[in-house]
Amino acid sequence: MNDAAIRLDYLEKTVRLLYPGPGSPRAYTVLPHSAVPRRLVPRRWWHPWSRVVVPGEGSIATYLGEIFGQPVETVLHVRPAARANRKPVLEARSGGRLLAFVKIGDSARARALINAEAAALRRLAGLELGTVAPPAVLHHGSWRGLAVLALSPLPVRRGRVPRPLLVDAVREIAATGGPCAAWHGDLAPWNMCPSPDGRLLVWDWERYELGVPYGFDAVHHFFQRALRRMPPPVAARACVARAARELAPLGVSAAVARQTALRYLITLADRHAADGHAPLGPPETWLSPVVDHEELLT
């Protein structure tokens, strides 16, 4: 099946999972999306104002209503099919107001990532952050064996992130590890945006980790942007070649920067292997050539 067919199949299973029980309506609306063929979901004038609302006793909406102490409507988002960390993400709304973004752990891997994010955000909440603004944990619990993490909505305002702000954010996130550097784990352009008060809004902290080489986030940010313009083998070579320039504002020497980039690429390959997912292809095609080339230079 192609991505659209897999996504629609996953959507149907997710709706049945989150809105069970006798008497619960099984009808729902799929709104237009670039991954959904228009023949399946023709565009209509009313789509921008519609919501995917599936009421029913004993549903996730009922559970969230009990958590927030008010009736809750839910809007369901389904991620792309080819993602190891795919999980249902809901908008919890009440009276037209967005209360929270809710992540649902519907697999062992998704539950582990959700629990890791909750722990990371609680750690960050106890620190005095001046540059980075993460969401707050509003609720972390379990419903019908599924992990549930409700996060405060950030005032997202799309815009270009100034490089000095990004550097300051990388430096501050690294410092949250104390004597050992930390990293966000996926500090990509789509997981951040500048806030009106000059800070950097950052979400999706599932991969936050302590004890990594200083500058991992900066290298990751460059590599993810490079992958949008070039194939993985070329992006990997560019990652190592540009490491000195990317890490110079952090005070990292050129030699250390290249080693940091190599260790980052290896870490990323290990992550993909643990996820059982190879979005960049086999490591032999994009990682090994870079490692071999660097070994020849030493």
mmCIF file of all heavy atoms in Angstrom, residues 45-86:
data_model
loop_
_atom_site.group_PDB
_atom_site.id
_atom_site.type_symbol
_atom_site.label_atom_id
_atom_site.label_comp_id
_atom_site.label_asym_id
_atom_site.label_seq_id
_atom_site.Cartn_x
_atom_site.Cartn_y
_atom_site.Cartn_z
ATOM 1 N N TRP A 45 -15.657 23.824 0.354
ATOM 2 C CA TRP A 45 -15.501 25.160 0.927
ATOM 3 C C TRP A 45 -15.557 25.148 2.441
ATOM 4 O O TRP A 45 -14.971 25.995 3.106
ATOM 5 C CB TRP A 45 -16.593 26.080 0.375
ATOM 6 C CG TRP A 45 -17.987 25.677 0.785
ATOM 7 C CD1 TRP A 45 -18.845 24.860 0.113
ATOM 8 C CD2 TRP A 45 -18.679 26.070 1.991
ATOM 9 N NE1 TRP A 45 -20.014 24.700 0.811
ATOM 10 C CE2 TRP A 45 -19.951 25.451 1.952
ATOM 11 C CE3 TRP A 45 -18.350 26.876 3.085
ATOM 12 C CZ2 TRP A 45 -20.888 25.610 2.975
ATOM 13 C CZ3 TRP A 45 -19.280 27.042 4.099
ATOM 14 C CH2 TRP A 45 -20.532 26.413 4.033
ATOM 15 N N TRP A 46 -16.219 24.091 3.016
ATOM 16 C CA TRP A 46 -16.395 24.079 4.463
ATOM 17 C C TRP A 46 -15.251 23.422 5.206
ATOM 18 O O TRP A 46 -15.215 23.440 6.434
ATOM 19 C CB TRP A 46 -17.702 23.358 4.826
ATOM 20 C CG TRP A 46 -17.946 22.096 4.067
ATOM 21 C CD1 TRP A 46 -18.691 21.946 2.934
ATOM 22 C CD2 TRP A 46 -17.425 20.795 4.367
ATOM 23 N NE1 TRP A 46 -18.674 20.641 2.511
ATOM 24 C CE2 TRP A 46 -17.915 19.910 3.368
ATOM 25 C CE3 TRP A 46 -16.610 20.297 5.386
ATOM 26 C CZ2 TRP A 46 -17.602 18.557 3.359
ATOM 27 C CZ3 TRP A 46 -16.286 18.961 5.379
ATOM 28 C CH2 TRP A 46 -16.787 18.105 4.364
ATOM 29 N N HIS A 47 -14.285 22.837 4.509
ATOM 30 C CA HIS A 47 -13.204 22.124 5.184
ATOM 31 C C HIS A 47 -12.405 22.983 6.172
ATOM 32 O O HIS A 47 -12.062 22.509 7.256
ATOM 33 C CB HIS A 47 -12.264 21.497 4.160
ATOM 34 C CG HIS A 47 -12.756 20.177 3.660
ATOM 35 N ND1 HIS A 47 -12.573 19.742 2.374
ATOM 36 C CD2 HIS A 47 -13.444 19.188 4.292
ATOM 37 C CE1 HIS A 47 -13.119 18.552 2.231
ATOM 38 N NE2 HIS A 47 -13.651 18.195 3.366
ATOM 39 N N PRO A 48 -12.067 24.228 5.857
ATOM 40 C CA PRO A 48 -11.257 24.998 6.815
ATOM 41 C C PRO A 48 -11.932 25.198 8.163
ATOM 42 O O PRO A 48 -11.268 25.469 9.158
ATOM 43 C CB PRO A 48 -11.037 26.336 6.094
ATOM 44 C CG PRO A 48 -11.188 25.999 4.642
ATOM 45 C CD PRO A 48 -12.249 24.944 4.597
ATOM 46 N N TRP A 49 -13.260 25.059 8.196
ATOM 47 C CA TRP A 49 -13.966 25.306 9.459
ATOM 48 C C TRP A 49 -14.431 24.013 10.131
ATOM 49 O O TRP A 49 -15.025 24.044 11.189
ATOM 50 C CB TRP A 49 -15.183 26.192 9.203
ATOM 51 C CG TRP A 49 -14.798 27.565 8.794
ATOM 52 C CD1 TRP A 49 -14.492 28.631 9.586
ATOM 53 C CD2 TRP A 49 -14.625 28.029 7.448
ATOM 54 N NE1 TRP A 49 -14.148 29.725 8.825
ATOM 55 C CE2 TRP A 49 -14.225 29.400 7.504
ATOM 56 C CE3 TRP A 49 -14.767 27.440 6.196
ATOM 57 C CZ2 TRP A 49 -13.967 30.150 6.372
ATOM 58 C CZ3 TRP A 49 -14.514 28.192 5.063
ATOM 59 C CH2 TRP A 49 -14.126 29.526 5.154
ATOM 60 N N SER A 50 -14.187 22.870 9.535
ATOM 61 C CA SER A 50 -14.691 21.616 10.079
ATOM 62 C C SER A 50 -13.739 21.050 11.123
ATOM 63 O O SER A 50 -12.572 21.398 11.181
ATOM 64 C CB SER A 50 -14.907 20.594 8.960
ATOM 65 O OG SER A 50 -13.683 20.301 8.329
ATOM 66 N N ARG A 51 -14.277 20.143 11.923
ATOM 67 C CA ARG A 51 -13.497 19.471 12.943
ATOM 68 C C ARG A 51 -13.850 17.989 12.920
ATOM 69 O O ARG A 51 -14.982 17.622 12.636
ATOM 70 C CB ARG A 51 -13.798 20.039 14.340
ATOM 71 C CG ARG A 51 -13.222 21.440 14.550
ATOM 72 C CD ARG A 51 -11.723 21.381 14.737
ATOM 73 N NE ARG A 51 -11.157 22.682 14.974
ATOM 74 C CZ ARG A 51 -10.649 23.460 14.019
ATOM 75 N NH1 ARG A 51 -10.680 23.059 12.768
ATOM 76 N NH2 ARG A 51 -10.120 24.628 14.315
ATOM 77 N N VAL A 52 -12.890 17.141 13.220
ATOM 78 C CA VAL A 52 -13.140 15.713 13.315
ATOM 79 C C VAL A 52 -13.563 15.428 14.747
ATOM 80 O O VAL A 52 -12.730 15.390 15.648
ATOM 81 C CB VAL A 52 -11.893 14.893 12.944
ATOM 82 C CG1 VAL A 52 -12.208 13.403 13.010
ATOM 83 C CG2 VAL A 52 -11.411 15.271 11.549
ATOM 84 N N VAL A 53 -14.871 15.274 14.970
ATOM 85 C CA VAL A 53 -15.411 15.086 16.306
ATOM 86 C C VAL A 53 -16.127 13.747 16.349
ATOM 87 O O VAL A 53 -17.049 13.517 15.574
ATOM 88 C CB VAL A 53 -16.383 16.220 16.692
ATOM 89 C CG1 VAL A 53 -16.906 16.013 18.109
ATOM 90 C CG2 VAL A 53 -15.722 17.576 16.545
ATOM 91 N N VAL A 54 -15.686 12.861 17.225
ATOM 92 C CA VAL A 54 -16.324 11.552 17.346
ATOM 93 C C VAL A 54 -16.743 11.363 18.792
ATOM 94 O O VAL A 54 -15.941 10.957 19.628
ATOM 95 C CB VAL A 54 -15.361 10.422 16.911
ATOM 96 C CG1 VAL A 54 -16.103 9.102 16.845
ATOM 97 C CG2 VAL A 54 -14.752 10.747 15.550
ATOM 98 N N PRO A 55 -17.998 11.691 19.134
ATOM 99 C CA PRO A 55 -18.444 11.574 20.524
ATOM 100 C C PRO A 55 -18.673 10.123 20.902
ATOM 101 O O PRO A 55 -18.586 9.230 20.087
ATOM 102 C CB PRO A 55 -19.743 12.370 20.525
ATOM 103 C CG PRO A 55 -20.271 12.206 19.138
ATOM 104 C CD PRO A 55 -19.057 12.173 18.242
ATOM 105 N N GLY A 56 -19.011 9.896 22.145
ATOM 106 C CA GLY A 56 -19.302 8.538 22.596
ATOM 107 C C GLY A 56 -18.818 8.321 24.004
ATOM 108 O O GLY A 56 -17.721 8.748 24.367
ATOM 109 N N GLU A 57 -19.637 7.660 24.802
ATOM 110 C CA GLU A 57 -19.260 7.374 26.179
ATOM 111 C C GLU A 57 -18.060 6.423 26.196
ATOM 112 O O GLU A 57 -17.960 5.508 25.396
ATOM 113 C CB GLU A 57 -20.445 6.749 26.913
ATOM 114 C CG GLU A 57 -21.581 7.724 27.179
ATOM 115 C CD GLU A 57 -21.160 8.877 28.071
ATOM 116 O OE1 GLU A 57 -20.361 8.639 29.003
ATOM 117 O OE2 GLU A 57 -21.616 10.007 27.838
ATOM 118 N N GLY A 58 -17.164 6.653 27.142
ATOM 119 C CA GLY A 58 -16.015 5.779 27.285
ATOM 120 C C GLY A 58 -14.925 6.033 26.276
ATOM 121 O O GLY A 58 -13.998 5.225 26.142
ATOM 122 N N SER A 59 -14.969 7.142 25.568
ATOM 123 C CA SER A 59 -13.958 7.460 24.564
ATOM 124 C C SER A 59 -12.829 8.265 25.184
ATOM 125 O O SER A 59 -12.894 8.693 26.336
ATOM 126 C CB SER A 59 -14.586 8.254 23.413
ATOM 127 O OG SER A 59 -14.899 9.569 23.846
ATOM 128 N N ILE A 60 -11.796 8.493 24.408
ATOM 129 C CA ILE A 60 -10.680 9.319 24.870
ATOM 130 C C ILE A 60 -11.153 10.736 25.170
ATOM 131 O O ILE A 60 -10.628 11.399 26.066
ATOM 132 C CB ILE A 60 -9.530 9.322 23.828
ATOM 133 C CG1 ILE A 60 -8.298 10.025 24.384
ATOM 134 C CG2 ILE A 60 -9.990 9.966 22.527
ATOM 135 C CD1 ILE A 60 -7.654 9.360 25.567
ATOM 136 N N ALA A 61 -12.187 11.199 24.447
ATOM 137 C CA ALA A 61 -12.721 12.540 24.707
ATOM 138 C C ALA A 61 -13.351 12.602 26.093
ATOM 139 O O ALA A 61 -13.220 13.610 26.807
ATOM 140 C CB ALA A 61 -13.744 12.909 23.622
ATOM 141 N N THR A 62 -14.038 11.529 26.481
ATOM 142 C CA THR A 62 -14.624 11.475 27.824
ATOM 143 C C THR A 62 -13.537 11.513 28.890
ATOM 144 O O THR A 62 -13.642 12.221 29.894
ATOM 145 C CB THR A 62 -15.470 10.206 27.979
ATOM 146 O OG1 THR A 62 -16.487 10.182 26.976
ATOM 147 C CG2 THR A 62 -16.111 10.147 29.352
ATOM 148 N N TYR A 63 -12.478 10.738 28.665
ATOM 149 C CA TYR A 63 -11.356 10.701 29.602
ATOM 150 C C TYR A 63 -10.714 12.080 29.742
ATOM 151 O O TYR A 63 -10.446 12.538 30.861
ATOM 152 C CB TYR A 63 -10.338 9.678 29.119
ATOM 153 C CG TYR A 63 -9.054 9.633 29.908
ATOM 154 C CD1 TYR A 63 -8.998 9.047 31.167
ATOM 155 C CD2 TYR A 63 -7.873 10.165 29.385
ATOM 156 C CE1 TYR A 63 -7.815 8.986 31.895
ATOM 157 C CE2 TYR A 63 -6.680 10.109 30.096
ATOM 158 C CZ TYR A 63 -6.663 9.522 31.346
ATOM 159 O OH TYR A 63 -5.484 9.475 32.049
ATOM 160 N N LEU A 64 -10.477 12.740 28.619
ATOM 161 C CA LEU A 64 -9.854 14.064 28.665
ATOM 162 C C LEU A 64 -10.792 15.088 29.307
ATOM 163 O O LEU A 64 -10.330 16.016 29.995
ATOM 164 C CB LEU A 64 -9.470 14.507 27.254
ATOM 165 C CG LEU A 64 -8.356 13.687 26.594
ATOM 166 C CD1 LEU A 64 -8.155 14.122 25.143
ATOM 167 C CD2 LEU A 64 -7.049 13.820 27.363
ATOM 168 N N GLY A 65 -12.082 14.907 29.097
ATOM 169 C CA GLY A 65 -13.038 15.797 29.750
ATOM 170 C C GLY A 65 -12.955 15.700 31.257
ATOM 171 O O GLY A 65 -13.067 16.700 31.977
ATOM 172 N N GLU A 66 -12.750 14.477 31.766
ATOM 173 C CA GLU A 66 -12.588 14.293 33.204
ATOM 174 C C GLU A 66 -11.288 14.927 33.693
ATOM 175 O O GLU A 66 -11.235 15.482 34.794
ATOM 176 C CB GLU A 66 -12.600 12.797 33.518
ATOM 177 C CG GLU A 66 -13.934 12.121 33.219
ATOM 178 C CD GLU A 66 -13.857 10.615 33.341
ATOM 179 O OE1 GLU A 66 -12.730 10.093 33.549
ATOM 180 O OE2 GLU A 66 -14.906 9.947 33.236
ATOM 181 N N ILE A 67 -10.245 14.847 32.865
ATOM 182 C CA ILE A 67 -8.958 15.425 33.247
ATOM 183 C C ILE A 67 -9.052 16.948 33.337
ATOM 184 O O ILE A 67 -8.565 17.568 34.298
ATOM 185 C CB ILE A 67 -7.866 15.023 32.234
ATOM 186 C CG1 ILE A 67 -7.626 13.509 32.252
ATOM 187 C CG2 ILE A 67 -6.573 15.778 32.513
ATOM 188 C CD1 ILE A 67 -7.186 12.960 33.577
ATOM 189 N N PHE A 68 -9.692 17.554 32.338
ATOM 190 C CA PHE A 68 -9.739 19.022 32.279
ATOM 191 C C PHE A 68 -10.975 19.604 32.955
ATOM 192 O O PHE A 68 -11.099 20.829 33.049
ATOM 193 C CB PHE A 68 -9.676 19.487 30.821
ATOM 194 C CG PHE A 68 -8.335 19.256 30.173
ATOM 195 C CD1 PHE A 68 -8.163 18.254 29.221
ATOM 196 C CD2 PHE A 68 -7.243 20.023 30.512
ATOM 197 C CE1 PHE A 68 -6.932 18.031 28.627
ATOM 198 C CE2 PHE A 68 -6.005 19.811 29.938
ATOM 199 C CZ PHE A 68 -5.843 18.808 28.988
ATOM 200 N N GLY A 69 -11.890 18.759 33.407
ATOM 201 C CA GLY A 69 -13.051 19.243 34.125
ATOM 202 C C GLY A 69 -14.039 20.002 33.271
ATOM 203 O O GLY A 69 -14.746 20.885 33.784
ATOM 204 N N GLN A 70 -14.120 19.671 31.997
ATOM 205 C CA GLN A 70 -15.060 20.321 31.084
ATOM 206 C C GLN A 70 -15.214 19.462 29.834
ATOM 207 O O GLN A 70 -14.340 18.645 29.533
ATOM 208 C CB GLN A 70 -14.566 21.715 30.699
ATOM 209 C CG GLN A 70 -13.169 21.740 30.115
ATOM 210 C CD GLN A 70 -12.628 23.149 29.970
ATOM 211 O OE1 GLN A 70 -13.229 23.984 29.297
ATOM 212 N NE2 GLN A 70 -11.499 23.425 30.618
ATOM 213 N N PRO A 71 -16.311 19.615 29.120
ATOM 214 C CA PRO A 71 -16.499 18.836 27.895
ATOM 215 C C PRO A 71 -15.372 19.123 26.900
ATOM 216 O O PRO A 71 -14.972 20.270 26.714
ATOM 217 C CB PRO A 71 -17.851 19.316 27.362
ATOM 218 C CG PRO A 71 -18.557 19.881 28.557
ATOM 219 C CD PRO A 71 -17.472 20.479 29.414
ATOM 220 N N VAL A 72 -14.872 18.065 26.295
ATOM 221 C CA VAL A 72 -13.743 18.194 25.379
ATOM 222 C C VAL A 72 -14.100 17.625 24.012
ATOM 223 O O VAL A 72 -14.694 16.544 23.914
ATOM 224 C CB VAL A 72 -12.496 17.470 25.933
ATOM 225 C CG1 VAL A 72 -11.403 17.343 24.871
ATOM 226 C CG2 VAL A 72 -11.952 18.211 27.147
ATOM 227 N N GLU A 73 -13.746 18.358 22.985
ATOM 228 C CA GLU A 73 -13.822 17.862 21.618
ATOM 229 C C GLU A 73 -12.404 17.541 21.165
ATOM 230 O O GLU A 73 -11.448 18.201 21.582
ATOM 231 C CB GLU A 73 -14.432 18.910 20.681
ATOM 232 C CG GLU A 73 -15.862 19.279 21.022
ATOM 233 C CD GLU A 73 -16.377 20.386 20.129
ATOM 234 O OE1 GLU A 73 -15.553 21.028 19.441
ATOM 235 O OE2 GLU A 73 -17.598 20.624 20.115
ATOM 236 N N THR A 74 -12.260 16.547 20.320
ATOM 237 C CA THR A 74 -10.928 16.138 19.889
ATOM 238 C C THR A 74 -10.794 16.200 18.382
ATOM 239 O O THR A 74 -11.720 15.871 17.644
ATOM 240 C CB THR A 74 -10.614 14.702 20.360
ATOM 241 O OG1 THR A 74 -11.636 13.820 19.923
ATOM 242 C CG2 THR A 74 -10.482 14.652 21.863
ATOM 243 N N VAL A 75 -9.621 16.625 17.947
ATOM 244 C CA VAL A 75 -9.246 16.645 16.538
ATOM 245 C C VAL A 75 -8.059 15.710 16.394
ATOM 246 O O VAL A 75 -7.042 15.877 17.065
ATOM 247 C CB VAL A 75 -8.870 18.065 16.064
ATOM 248 C CG1 VAL A 75 -8.504 18.059 14.583
ATOM 249 C CG2 VAL A 75 -10.020 19.028 16.322
ATOM 250 N N LEU A 76 -8.189 14.725 15.553
ATOM 251 C CA LEU A 76 -7.180 13.684 15.423
ATOM 252 C C LEU A 76 -6.241 13.958 14.258
ATOM 253 O O LEU A 76 -6.677 14.245 13.146
ATOM 254 C CB LEU A 76 -7.863 12.323 15.223
ATOM 255 C CG LEU A 76 -6.978 11.122 14.919
ATOM 256 C CD1 LEU A 76 -6.021 10.859 16.079
ATOM 257 C CD2 LEU A 76 -7.840 9.898 14.634
ATOM 258 N N HIS A 77 -4.934 13.872 14.525
ATOM 259 C CA HIS A 77 -3.909 13.993 13.491
ATOM 260 C C HIS A 77 -3.252 12.636 13.302
ATOM 261 O O HIS A 77 -2.944 11.951 14.278
ATOM 262 C CB HIS A 77 -2.837 15.009 13.887
ATOM 263 C CG HIS A 77 -3.351 16.410 14.037
ATOM 264 N ND1 HIS A 77 -3.270 17.354 13.042
ATOM 265 C CD2 HIS A 77 -3.981 17.027 15.076
ATOM 266 C CE1 HIS A 77 -3.802 18.484 13.458
ATOM 267 N NE2 HIS A 77 -4.241 18.313 14.693
ATOM 268 N N VAL A 78 -3.027 12.256 12.065
ATOM 269 C CA VAL A 78 -2.336 11.012 11.757
ATOM 270 C C VAL A 78 -1.041 11.342 11.045
ATOM 271 O O VAL A 78 -1.037 12.032 10.021
ATOM 272 C CB VAL A 78 -3.204 10.085 10.881
ATOM 273 C CG1 VAL A 78 -2.432 8.830 10.516
ATOM 274 C CG2 VAL A 78 -4.482 9.713 11.624
ATOM 275 N N ARG A 79 0.079 10.882 11.582
ATOM 276 C CA ARG A 79 1.399 11.171 11.036
ATOM 277 C C ARG A 79 1.651 10.362 9.758
ATOM 278 O O ARG A 79 0.947 9.401 9.474
ATOM 279 C CB ARG A 79 2.464 10.836 12.083
ATOM 280 C CG ARG A 79 2.347 11.639 13.375
ATOM 281 C CD ARG A 79 2.760 13.075 13.174
ATOM 282 N NE ARG A 79 2.731 13.829 14.419
ATOM 283 C CZ ARG A 79 3.786 13.973 15.220
ATOM 284 N NH1 ARG A 79 4.917 13.396 14.931
ATOM 285 N NH2 ARG A 79 3.696 14.701 16.314
ATOM 286 N N PRO A 80 2.675 10.718 9.004
ATOM 287 C CA PRO A 80 3.039 9.936 7.814
ATOM 288 C C PRO A 80 3.264 8.471 8.156
ATOM 289 O O PRO A 80 3.645 8.128 9.266
ATOM 290 C CB PRO A 80 4.328 10.610 7.332
ATOM 291 C CG PRO A 80 4.217 12.008 7.829
ATOM 292 C CD PRO A 80 3.504 11.910 9.157
ATOM 293 N N ALA A 81 3.030 7.612 7.159
ATOM 294 C CA ALA A 81 3.081 6.177 7.409
ATOM 295 C C ALA A 81 4.479 5.697 7.762
ATOM 296 O O ALA A 81 4.661 4.884 8.665
ATOM 297 C CB ALA A 81 2.566 5.426 6.180
ATOM 298 N N ALA A 82 5.476 6.157 7.047
ATOM 299 C CA ALA A 82 6.845 5.639 7.218
ATOM 300 C C ALA A 82 7.581 6.364 8.339
ATOM 301 O O ALA A 82 8.561 7.063 8.121
ATOM 302 C CB ALA A 82 7.618 5.765 5.917
ATOM 303 N N ARG A 83 7.095 6.219 9.569
ATOM 304 C CA ARG A 83 7.757 6.828 10.718
ATOM 305 C C ARG A 83 7.776 5.837 11.861
ATOM 306 O O ARG A 83 6.739 5.276 12.234
ATOM 307 C CB ARG A 83 7.029 8.103 11.172
ATOM 308 C CG ARG A 83 7.091 9.226 10.162
ATOM 309 C CD ARG A 83 6.526 10.505 10.715
ATOM 310 N NE ARG A 83 7.287 10.988 11.862
ATOM 311 C CZ ARG A 83 7.213 12.241 12.304
ATOM 312 N NH1 ARG A 83 6.443 13.113 11.699
ATOM 313 N NH2 ARG A 83 7.913 12.610 13.351
ATOM 314 N N ALA A 84 8.961 5.616 12.413
ATOM 315 C CA ALA A 84 9.080 4.651 13.502
ATOM 316 C C ALA A 84 8.380 5.138 14.760
ATOM 317 O O ALA A 84 7.922 4.334 15.574
ATOM 318 C CB ALA A 84 10.548 4.384 13.792
ATOM 319 N N ASN A 85 8.278 6.452 14.934
ATOM 320 C CA ASN A 85 7.689 6.992 16.160
ATOM 321 C C ASN A 85 6.268 7.500 15.938
ATOM 322 O O ASN A 85 5.780 8.339 16.683
ATOM 323 C CB ASN A 85 8.563 8.120 16.711
ATOM 324 C CG ASN A 85 8.671 9.286 15.751
ATOM 325 O OD1 ASN A 85 8.403 9.155 14.552
ATOM 326 N ND2 ASN A 85 9.071 10.445 16.259
ATOM 327 N N ARG A 86 5.594 6.973 14.901
ATOM 328 C CA ARG A 86 4.234 7.432 14.632
ATOM 329 C C ARG A 86 3.309 7.085 15.784
ATOM 330 O O ARG A 86 3.391 6.000 16.367
ATOM 331 C CB ARG A 86 3.708 6.788 13.345
ATOM 332 C CG ARG A 86 2.316 7.313 12.953
ATOM 333 C CD ARG A 86 1.832 6.732 11.651
ATOM 334 N NE ARG A 86 1.572 5.301 11.756
ATOM 335 C CZ ARG A 86 0.958 4.607 10.799
ATOM 336 N NH1 ARG A 86 0.599 5.202 9.681
ATOM 337 N NH2 ARG A 86 0.752 3.315 10.952
#
